[in-house]
Amino acid sequence: MSRSASLVPTVRSLPAVGSALLVLALTACGGGVQGTPGGSGVRDPYFPKAGNGGYDVTHYALDLAYDPDARRLAGTAEITARAGKDLSAFDLDLKGMDVERVSVEGARARWSRNGQELVVRPRDELDEGETFRITVRYSGTPQTLTDPDGSEEGWIATADGSLALGEPMGSMAWFPGNHHPSDKASYDLSVTVPQGLEVVSNGELTDRSTSTDKRRMTFHWRTAAPMATYVATLAIGDYDIRRSSVPGAAGRPLPVYTAVSPSQAGPARKVLARIPEIMEWAEYNFGPYPFSSTGAIVAAQEASDYALETQNRPVFPGAPSTELLVHELAHQWFGNSVTPKSWRDMWLNEGFATYAEWLWEEDNGGDSVQETFDALYDHGEDDHEDLWSFPPAEPASAANISDSPVYERGAMVLHKIRQAVGDDTFYDIVQGWAAAHRHGNADTDDFTAYVEKKAPDEDFTAIWEDWLYGDGKPDRP
């Protein structure tokens, strides 16, 4: 049942003349809402309820407090957004949690719940182009969600705290928002936890303070670059923190912030020491690093069963291999900076990151990319039995967006482009693509058009038809 705020007396309880005067008065003062609802979902082909229509979020300011013993989260989310049309109502995505109060521009708003939708009805109409602030106060036990492919995301309780993972929809378990990759925003995140625990998130740690009774710590993280909600993260627990720097663009040092579970300190030390080397290699191949800091979060092995390219510092369940570290750091360019317009375009994330692994191997004494490609083509049915089950640009369902065709076959598409245009033009395409869509969104049509523009004398029809969109195993040319 909705706990909506009652803003005016019920009209039926008033005399007829009074009712008419009340309606006229409300209209005259702006209380009469003439816009239309923003709509639930942006009709993503695999997650139709993801995100919401009618507005664009520009900033999230989250003030959270977490009690690991009670597993209780209390939060206030202040969301700054811009109306894309005249709005009488709009939706936020929020799974679970108890909503206590909602206001828009400081005025208490009516609201209701419908599954993951928090439907907000502002007191006054929001005009197209208007920038407005939504404040949501909420609390409860955040949920761990199960993806269509069976993996877990959302808020994952750990032995000493929690880990928040968001791909594709998990972030709606711990804060209300427009949870679709097409809507990116900046963030301020303040988190209060019991003394002795660390809080690690995206961006940069700008402040940490102790309460007057010495029992709690508050950490303030800021992410200035636009970020999709699915790569937002929050790690609370006992972590070993290390700060360093690597050379960055224009000679400025780039901060490196790593957080490692004590159980993984030994295994992780050697591979994390390669971050400066990997970053230098990645900038040489992909162009300037798109963010203001880097690093990694290495959680305990039992925290999750997959790594995730969370912005600035990817999350790993246990110490990663060098190749996995390369993969997730490459995502900072491909996925985090250049973000897909919809979940259909996941291969633009995973194909590039997988190809980065192949390039790293080629440049560091391993198999050449051609040898990796040939081995997959010849033996893919044995090692990746679903490799040819669907084309990378058209996953079979929401449960398949992280399957082998999206990763390995997506990388094979890139190698076919490289074979067609040669190394010089290929790296122009890779670096130009990352620069042209830096901090933005793009889809497969954008990519194919960009490739054709960069190599106008090549005919890519066979690559697009056979490798990117074709069913089954393409013939070897």
Side-chain angles (χ1 to χ4, degrees):
M1 185 178 71
S2 168
R3 289 182 286 176
S4 304
S6 179
L7 299 179
V8 296
T10 303
V11 173
R12 284 180 300 179
S13 67
L14 299 174
V17 174
S19 298
L21 291 175
L22 176 63
V23 171
L24 289 172
L26 285 172
T27 303
C29 72
V33 177
Q34 303 300 317
T36 57
S40 61
V42 294
R43 304 303 180 258
D44 185 275
Y46 298 104
F47 298 90
K49 283 292 187 180
N52 300 285
Y55 66 94
D56 174 68
V57 175
T58 58
H59 186 71
Y60 291 95
L62 307 177
D63 188 0
L64 309 177
Y66 185 60
D67 180 349
D69 292 335
R71 296 189 175 181
R72 179 176 175 81
L73 178 71
T76 299
E78 185 177 275
I79 304 166
T80 304
R82 183 177 181 274
K85 64 175 186 176
D86 294 344
L87 288 173
S88 60
F90 57 88
D91 286 26
L92 297 169
D93 299 311
L94 181 65
K95 184 70 172 178
M97 307 296 288
D98 297 320
V99 175
E100 298 162 10
R101 184 185 177 110
V102 180
S103 63
V104 177
E105 284 295 283
R108 194 165 184 178
R110 293 177 294 158
W111 56 269
S112 60
R113 305 291 297 272
N114 181 18
Q116 72 185 48
E117 303 298 323
L118 172 60
V119 184
V120 179
R121 299 172 181 83
R123 181 180 183 275
D124 296 315
E125 177 181 88
L126 299 171
D127 297 328
E128 181 178 356
E130 179 182 353
T131 297
F132 61 98
R133 290 187 308 277
I134 314 131
T135 304
V136 181
R137 193 170 66 200
Y138 60 103
S139 61
T141 301
Q143 297 181 12
T144 300
L145 310 181
T146 301
D147 289 344
D149 66 2
S151 59
E152 292 186 337
E153 57 166 329
W155 191 272
I156 301 169
T158 61
D160 57 357
S162 64
L163 180 64
L165 301 175
E167 189 177 48
M169 292 290 292
S171 294
M172 67 177 177
W174 59 282
F175 68 94
N178 200 19
H179 292 293
H180 189 265
S182 60
D183 193 357
K184 301 165 73 170
S186 58
Y187 287 71
D188 279 283
L189 180 64
S190 292
V191 186
T192 300
V193 295
Q195 178 78 13
L197 296 180
E198 296 286 343
V199 174
V200 189
S201 188
N202 314 90
E204 289 75 55
L205 179 65
T206 61
D207 182 62
R208 56 186 293 167
S209 59
T210 304
S211 63
T212 55
D213 61 7
K214 310 296 184 184
R215 296 173 61 183
R216 295 174 300 280
M217 289 283 294
T218 300
F219 298 76
H220 183 193
W221 288 86
R222 175 168 295 157
T223 306
M227 180 169 70
T229 63
Y230 82 91
V231 287
T233 193
L234 182 59
I236 299 172
D238 182 14
Y239 286 95
D240 293 334
I241 306 298
R242 292 198 177 189
R243 298 174 178 84
S244 59
S245 65
V246 298
R252 295 189 201 82
L254 181 71
V256 180
Y257 190 103
T258 61
V260 180
S261 170
S263 66
Q264 300 300 310
R269 185 176 299 114
K270 186 175 181 180
V271 66
L272 294 184
R274 302 195 74 174
I275 288 177
E277 176 188 1
I278 294 170
M279 290 295 294
E280 181 181 9
W281 173 87
E283 286 201 305
Y284 178 80
N285 285 281
F286 310 141
Y289 180 66
F291 300 114
S292 52
S293 66
T294 187
I297 300 170
V298 181
Q301 286 182 316
E302 62 271 15
S304 177
D305 58 2
Y306 60 90
L308 188 62
E309 63 269 21
T310 45
Q311 193 155 303
N312 299 94
R313 51 194 55 83
V315 170
F316 302 95
S321 65
T322 302
E323 291 73 24
L324 183 56
L325 182 58
V326 169
H327 181 105
E328 302 302 344
L329 288 176
H331 271 308
Q332 305 306 309
W333 284 260
F334 308 109
N336 295 6
S337 177
V338 185
T339 303
K341 288 181 180 178
S342 83
W343 290 110
R344 175 179 285 149
D345 306 300
M346 268 282 283
W347 83 274
L348 289 171
N349 295 11
E350 302 302 346
F352 270 100
T354 300
Y355 200 72
E357 291 185 63
W358 298 2
L359 289 172
W360 174 266
E361 285 289 304
E362 181 174 76
D363 291 345
N364 287 275
D367 290 343
S368 68
V369 171
Q370 188 63 52
E371 288 171 329
T372 302
F373 180 98
D374 290 340
L376 268 174
Y377 186 89
D378 294 334
H379 306 291
E381 295 90 342
D382 302 326
D383 299 330
H384 302 272
E385 62 183 20
D386 65 345
L387 182 61
W388 312 111
S389 60
F390 60 83
E394 292 182 343
S397 72
N400 302 112
I401 63 171
S402 294
D403 283 358
S404 183
V406 174
Y407 287 67
E408 282 79 18
R409 191 169 165 185
M412 295 174 91
V413 171
L414 297 176
H415 191 60
K416 295 301 292 184
I417 296 171
R418 182 182 177 188
Q419 287 178 322
V421 303
D423 279 7
D424 288 346
T425 301
F426 176 73
Y427 283 104
D428 283 346
I429 290 171
V430 170
Q431 294 182 17
W433 173 251
H437 294 279
R438 179 183 173 100
H439 299 317
N441 295 86
D443 62 16
T444 300
D445 287 345
D446 294 325
F447 179 72
T448 57
Y450 186 82
V451 171
E452 291 170 358
K453 179 180 178 181
K454 296 290 285 186
D457 296 331
E458 291 291 335
D459 183 1
F460 295 97
T461 302
I463 296 176
W464 306 151
E465 290 183 352
D466 297 341
W467 291 88
L468 186 57
Y469 287 107
D471 291 322
K473 184 176 183 178
D475 294 332
R476 187 193 290 273

